[in-house]
Amino acid sequence: MLGALLLWGGMTLQAQEEKTENVLFQHWAIGVNAGTNGFGFDVATTISPTIEARVGWDAMPRFTTTTHLYTNEITGYNAPLLENLEEKLDFAARSNMKTAKVLVDLFLSRTSNFHFTFGMVYCTNEKVAQATNTNKIEEMKAVHEWNEANPQDKIGVVMGDYFLEPDANGKVHAAFNVSRYQPYLGIGWGRSVPKKGRLGYSVDLGIKYWGKPRITCNDYLVTESYMNGSQHKVLRTLSNLQVYPVVNFRLTGRLF
């Protein structure tokens, strides 16, 4: 409904212009961009003097970083490997966010560079981030065996509000899952299809709604019923964040 209202507003502004101009699909441009969605490219065209549309692709580089998660308190266990298990475990975390986008830019007038943007983003993989422990493998195997024998007194790793268990191989595979279809709304400055000259730039600020994230461990959904008194406020916030902020810088070249 918001998109329809914006489109109607743009058509109204266009109708109020003294001089009409039919530019539907007459001008095209290609662009490259970088921002919180990663690096990408798009193709843009003109719909009217106050409306432009673009279709593109973004991908977050598959960089890997190291972080630490902590086990719940370990006391009174008789298993030899668990007696000296350190609470801090090393985790290798990597991004996996690749998105396609269809966006419409609505300008206030035929000469304005300020625009509203609305559209849809499609994520090719629900798992936008993943993490796996890189140490204490044998200890985690012992933890798995303990949990199988003691389901009422389990040991695991705390991530935000979630309690994660290792598998039989001593691995804890945690994944951050979001909705694949993500509506986008934002504002920006600059034209996707430059009006003067061949080259141009634009800046976009907005949010995409990806719903309440779902945490999976070893491909099983983990619910908040596994809350474990974690003090990791950042992870707790991320596990409840339903929107993703978008900041994007774009360089564009007009084809014709």
Side-chain angles (χ1 to χ4, degrees), residues 163-175:
F163 181 76
L164 312 177
E165 299 179 44
D167 61 18
N169 297 316
K171 288 288 188 176
V172 181
H173 301 279

Side-chain angles (χ1 to χ4, degrees), residues 72-251:
N72 54 328
E73 185 178 0
I74 300 173
T75 58
Y77 299 109
N78 296 320
L81 279 173
L82 303 185
E83 292 178 355
N84 299 316
L85 177 61
E86 297 178 6
E87 291 188 354
K88 184 173 73 172
L89 276 76
D90 297 330
F91 272 75
R94 69 177 188 274
S95 63
N96 190 36
M97 186 163 63
K98 299 179 178 64
T99 53
K101 57 189 177 185
V102 179
L103 303 175
V104 176
D105 297 324
L106 173 62
F107 296 86
L108 297 182
S109 69
R110 66 172 60 246
T111 59
S112 174
N113 282 319
F114 177 82
H115 61 265
F116 295 96
T117 302
F118 64 94
M120 181 66 69
V121 175
Y122 175 75
C123 191
T124 61
N125 192 334
E126 293 181 347
K127 297 180 180 180
V128 294
Q130 300 182 74
T132 305
N133 60 309
T134 58
N135 66 341
K136 304 297 180 183
I137 304 301
E138 293 302 319
E139 289 86 344
M140 288 295 101
K141 289 181 181 179
V143 167
H144 175 78
E145 294 176 1
W146 173 272
N147 290 345
E148 290 290 301
N150 302 271
Q152 302 302 319
D153 195 15
K154 291 185 175 182
I155 310 170
V157 179
V158 176
M159 187 178 75
D161 287 335
Y162 299 89
F163 181 76
L164 312 177
E165 299 179 44
D167 61 18
N169 297 316
K171 288 288 188 176
V172 181
H173 301 279
F176 190 80
N177 302 261
V178 298
S179 173
R180 289 193 174 189
Y181 294 94
Q182 304 167 8
Y184 174 84
L185 181 63
I187 59 174
W189 181 267
R191 292 269 176 169
S192 297
V193 182
K195 292 182 68 68
K196 297 180 179 180
R198 289 288 182 180
L199 299 178
Y201 72 92
S202 62
V203 179
D204 288 287
L205 303 173
I207 56 173
K208 58 181 183 180
Y209 177 80
W210 62 16
K212 182 174 174 57
R214 302 175 305 282
I215 306 298
T216 56
C217 177
N218 302 326
D219 292 328
Y220 289 96
L221 181 65
V222 182
T223 67
E224 291 185 80
S225 61
Y226 287 87
M227 278 188 182
N228 193 279
S230 171
Q231 296 181 358
H232 297 172
K233 295 181 180 180
V234 174
L235 288 172
R236 181 181 293 112
T237 300
L238 288 175
S239 64
N240 289 281
L241 190 64
Q242 299 189 35
V243 296
Y244 181 80
V246 175
V247 179
N248 192 57
F249 300 90
R250 182 176 183 271
L251 295 176

